[in-house]
Amino acid sequence: MPCVPIKIGNSIGFACGPGLKRAKPCACGSRRPADLLCDWKVGEGTCDAAICRTCATNVGHDRDLCPDHARAWAVHPKNPNLKSQDRTA
């Protein structure tokens, strides 16, 4: 019987039942269940790669990136954490 993790406040529980689908495995290859989708803008949508909380990089409220797009964000000129000398490189 499939189970999915659910977050309630600061606690994590599991919901199990025959009608539930198993979570996709993380796109990083770790085989951990993915409970997030990458929010990197692609065209008119988002990347939507299935990612686990371990591999995800949170870049804002409800905004998570897959490892590939986290690396792209690390050097992106709109990243507020990027030092000014790194913007011109």
Side-chain angles (χ1 to χ4, degrees):
M1 174 177 321
C3 296
V4 294
I6 55 172
K7 185 173 181 183
I8 303 170
N10 290 330
S11 300
I12 294 179
F14 291 89
C16 301
L20 295 174
K21 294 182 180 177
R22 292 191 191 277
K24 290 182 179 181
C26 183
C28 75
S30 68
R31 297 177 58 191
R32 285 186 289 267
D35 53 350
L36 299 169
L37 297 175
C38 178
D39 296 312
W40 186 264
K41 291 192 182 240
V42 177
E44 293 185 22
T46 56
C47 169
D48 288 344
I51 48 178
C52 66
R53 292 185 185 276
T54 302
C55 295
T57 299
N58 182 271
V59 294
H61 177 71
D62 201 29
R63 305 195 110 221
D64 302 289
L65 301 178
C66 66
D68 288 341
H69 288 126
R71 285 188 290 278
W73 178 246
V75 296
H76 196 283
K78 290 187 178 181
N79 182 343
N81 298 321
L82 191 62
K83 297 177 183 140
S84 60
Q85 69 267 20
D86 294 336
R87 293 177 196 272
T88 58

PDB file of all heavy atoms in Angstrom, residues 1-6 14-23:
ATOM      1  N   MET A   1       0.848  -1.168   0.000  1.00  0.00           N
ATOM      2  CA  MET A   1       0.000   0.000   0.000  1.00  0.00           C
ATOM      3  C   MET A   1       0.898   1.237   0.000  1.00  0.00           C
ATOM      4  O   MET A   1       1.771   1.368   0.844  1.00  0.00           O
ATOM      5  CB  MET A   1      -0.888  -0.040   1.251  1.00  0.00           C
ATOM      6  CG  MET A   1      -1.711   1.181   1.438  1.00  0.00           C
ATOM      7  SD  MET A   1      -2.824   1.118   2.870  1.00  0.00           S
ATOM      8  CE  MET A   1      -3.424  -0.525   2.907  1.00  0.00           C
ATOM      9  N   PRO A   2       0.694   2.157  -0.945  1.00  0.00           N
ATOM     10  CA  PRO A   2       1.542   3.347  -1.012  1.00  0.00           C
ATOM     11  C   PRO A   2       1.284   4.315   0.142  1.00  0.00           C
ATOM     12  O   PRO A   2       0.168   4.441   0.625  1.00  0.00           O
ATOM     13  CB  PRO A   2       1.158   4.005  -2.333  1.00  0.00           C
ATOM     14  CG  PRO A   2       0.243   3.084  -3.028  1.00  0.00           C
ATOM     15  CD  PRO A   2      -0.214   2.061  -2.060  1.00  0.00           C
ATOM     16  N   CYS A   3       2.346   4.981   0.574  1.00  0.00           N
ATOM     17  CA  CYS A   3       2.260   6.013   1.602  1.00  0.00           C
ATOM     18  C   CYS A   3       2.960   7.265   1.090  1.00  0.00           C
ATOM     19  O   CYS A   3       3.936   7.180   0.355  1.00  0.00           O
ATOM     20  CB  CYS A   3       2.938   5.561   2.889  1.00  0.00           C
ATOM     21  SG  CYS A   3       2.150   4.155   3.670  1.00  0.00           S
ATOM     22  N   VAL A   4       2.452   8.410   1.466  1.00  0.00           N
ATOM     23  CA  VAL A   4       3.082   9.672   1.096  1.00  0.00           C
ATOM     24  C   VAL A   4       3.297  10.498   2.355  1.00  0.00           C
ATOM     25  O   VAL A   4       2.473  10.477   3.264  1.00  0.00           O
ATOM     26  CB  VAL A   4       2.244  10.469   0.070  1.00  0.00           C
ATOM     27  CG1 VAL A   4       2.169   9.749  -1.257  1.00  0.00           C
ATOM     28  CG2 VAL A   4       0.858  10.743   0.587  1.00  0.00           C
ATOM     29  N   PRO A   5       4.439  11.229   2.425  1.00  0.00           N
ATOM     30  CA  PRO A   5       4.670  12.079   3.587  1.00  0.00           C
ATOM     31  C   PRO A   5       3.791  13.323   3.509  1.00  0.00           C
ATOM     32  O   PRO A   5       3.554  13.859   2.429  1.00  0.00           O
ATOM     33  CB  PRO A   5       6.149  12.444   3.476  1.00  0.00           C
ATOM     34  CG  PRO A   5       6.485  12.267   2.042  1.00  0.00           C
ATOM     35  CD  PRO A   5       5.556  11.224   1.500  1.00  0.00           C
ATOM     36  N   ILE A   6       3.285  13.763   4.655  1.00  0.00           N
ATOM     37  CA  ILE A   6       2.517  15.000   4.720  1.00  0.00           C
ATOM     38  C   ILE A   6       3.050  15.839   5.866  1.00  0.00           C
ATOM     39  O   ILE A   6       3.482  15.313   6.880  1.00  0.00           O
ATOM     40  CB  ILE A   6       1.000  14.753   4.893  1.00  0.00           C
ATOM     41  CG1 ILE A   6       0.724  13.882   6.115  1.00  0.00           C
ATOM     42  CG2 ILE A   6       0.401  14.132   3.659  1.00  0.00           C
ATOM     43  CD1 ILE A   6      -0.734  13.753   6.470  1.00  0.00           C
ATOM     44  N   PHE A  14       2.471  10.478   7.747  1.00  0.00           N
ATOM     45  CA  PHE A  14       2.295   9.736   6.504  1.00  0.00           C
ATOM     46  C   PHE A  14       0.833   9.407   6.307  1.00  0.00           C
ATOM     47  O   PHE A  14       0.136   9.056   7.255  1.00  0.00           O
ATOM     48  CB  PHE A  14       3.122   8.437   6.528  1.00  0.00           C
ATOM     49  CG  PHE A  14       4.595   8.687   6.469  1.00  0.00           C
ATOM     50  CD1 PHE A  14       5.329   8.865   7.628  1.00  0.00           C
ATOM     51  CD2 PHE A  14       5.242   8.756   5.252  1.00  0.00           C
ATOM     52  CE1 PHE A  14       6.680   9.109   7.577  1.00  0.00           C
ATOM     53  CE2 PHE A  14       6.598   9.001   5.199  1.00  0.00           C
ATOM     54  CZ  PHE A  14       7.321   9.182   6.360  1.00  0.00           C
ATOM     55  N   ALA A  15       0.386   9.532   5.075  1.00  0.00           N
ATOM     56  CA  ALA A  15      -0.953   9.105   4.703  1.00  0.00           C
ATOM     57  C   ALA A  15      -0.778   7.872   3.825  1.00  0.00           C
ATOM     58  O   ALA A  15       0.030   7.871   2.897  1.00  0.00           O
ATOM     59  CB  ALA A  15      -1.677  10.207   3.940  1.00  0.00           C
ATOM     60  N   CYS A  16      -1.507   6.816   4.144  1.00  0.00           N
ATOM     61  CA  CYS A  16      -1.383   5.563   3.400  1.00  0.00           C
ATOM     62  C   CYS A  16      -2.761   5.126   2.909  1.00  0.00           C
ATOM     63  O   CYS A  16      -3.758   5.336   3.583  1.00  0.00           O
ATOM     64  CB  CYS A  16      -0.794   4.465   4.291  1.00  0.00           C
ATOM     65  SG  CYS A  16       0.824   4.860   4.959  1.00  0.00           S
ATOM     66  N   GLY A  17      -2.786   4.510   1.759  1.00  0.00           N
ATOM     67  CA  GLY A  17      -4.048   3.998   1.259  1.00  0.00           C
ATOM     68  C   GLY A  17      -3.902   3.454  -0.142  1.00  0.00           C
ATOM     69  O   GLY A  17      -2.960   3.794  -0.864  1.00  0.00           O
ATOM     70  N   PRO A  18      -4.842   2.611  -0.556  1.00  0.00           N
ATOM     71  CA  PRO A  18      -4.742   1.986  -1.871  1.00  0.00           C
ATOM     72  C   PRO A  18      -4.911   2.977  -3.022  1.00  0.00           C
ATOM     73  O   PRO A  18      -4.435   2.742  -4.121  1.00  0.00           O
ATOM     74  CB  PRO A  18      -5.867   0.952  -1.862  1.00  0.00           C
ATOM     75  CG  PRO A  18      -6.816   1.435  -0.823  1.00  0.00           C
ATOM     76  CD  PRO A  18      -6.001   2.176   0.187  1.00  0.00           C
ATOM     77  N   GLY A  19      -5.537   4.128  -2.786  1.00  0.00           N
ATOM     78  CA  GLY A  19      -5.755   5.093  -3.859  1.00  0.00           C
ATOM     79  C   GLY A  19      -4.628   6.085  -4.036  1.00  0.00           C
ATOM     80  O   GLY A  19      -4.652   6.908  -4.944  1.00  0.00           O
ATOM     81  N   LEU A  20      -3.605   6.015  -3.194  1.00  0.00           N
ATOM     82  CA  LEU A  20      -2.495   6.965  -3.283  1.00  0.00           C
ATOM     83  C   LEU A  20      -1.428   6.466  -4.241  1.00  0.00           C
ATOM     84  O   LEU A  20      -1.180   5.277  -4.356  1.00  0.00           O
ATOM     85  CB  LEU A  20      -1.861   7.175  -1.906  1.00  0.00           C
ATOM     86  CG  LEU A  20      -2.747   7.829  -0.854  1.00  0.00           C
ATOM     87  CD1 LEU A  20      -2.042   7.837   0.493  1.00  0.00           C
ATOM     88  CD2 LEU A  20      -3.092   9.241  -1.268  1.00  0.00           C
ATOM     89  N   LYS A  21      -0.797   7.402  -4.925  1.00  0.00           N
ATOM     90  CA  LYS A  21       0.321   7.053  -5.806  1.00  0.00           C
ATOM     91  C   LYS A  21       1.615   7.241  -5.043  1.00  0.00           C
ATOM     92  O   LYS A  21       1.742   8.140  -4.230  1.00  0.00           O
ATOM     93  CB  LYS A  21       0.327   7.970  -7.030  1.00  0.00           C
ATOM     94  CG  LYS A  21      -0.858   7.774  -7.933  1.00  0.00           C
ATOM     95  CD  LYS A  21      -0.754   8.682  -9.128  1.00  0.00           C
ATOM     96  CE  LYS A  21      -1.952   8.485 -10.025  1.00  0.00           C
ATOM     97  NZ  LYS A  21      -1.937   9.392 -11.174  1.00  0.00           N
ATOM     98  N   ARG A  22       2.570   6.394  -5.311  1.00  0.00           N
ATOM     99  CA  ARG A  22       3.882   6.543  -4.692  1.00  0.00           C
ATOM    100  C   ARG A  22       4.537   7.817  -5.238  1.00  0.00           C
ATOM    101  O   ARG A  22       4.373   8.156  -6.400  1.00  0.00           O
ATOM    102  CB  ARG A  22       4.772   5.347  -5.007  1.00  0.00           C
ATOM    103  CG  ARG A  22       4.310   4.076  -4.362  1.00  0.00           C
ATOM    104  CD  ARG A  22       5.381   2.992  -4.496  1.00  0.00           C
ATOM    105  NE  ARG A  22       4.854   1.708  -4.106  1.00  0.00           N
ATOM    106  CZ  ARG A  22       4.777   1.293  -2.852  1.00  0.00           C
ATOM    107  NH1 ARG A  22       5.197   2.054  -1.891  1.00  0.00           N
ATOM    108  NH2 ARG A  22       4.275   0.103  -2.568  1.00  0.00           N
ATOM    109  N   ALA A  23       5.290   8.469  -4.380  1.00  0.00           N
ATOM    110  CA  ALA A  23       6.009   9.664  -4.812  1.00  0.00           C
ATOM    111  C   ALA A  23       7.071   9.276  -5.829  1.00  0.00           C
ATOM    112  O   ALA A  23       7.682   8.212  -5.733  1.00  0.00           O
ATOM    113  CB  ALA A  23       6.652  10.351  -3.618  1.00  0.00           C
TER     114      ALA A  23
END
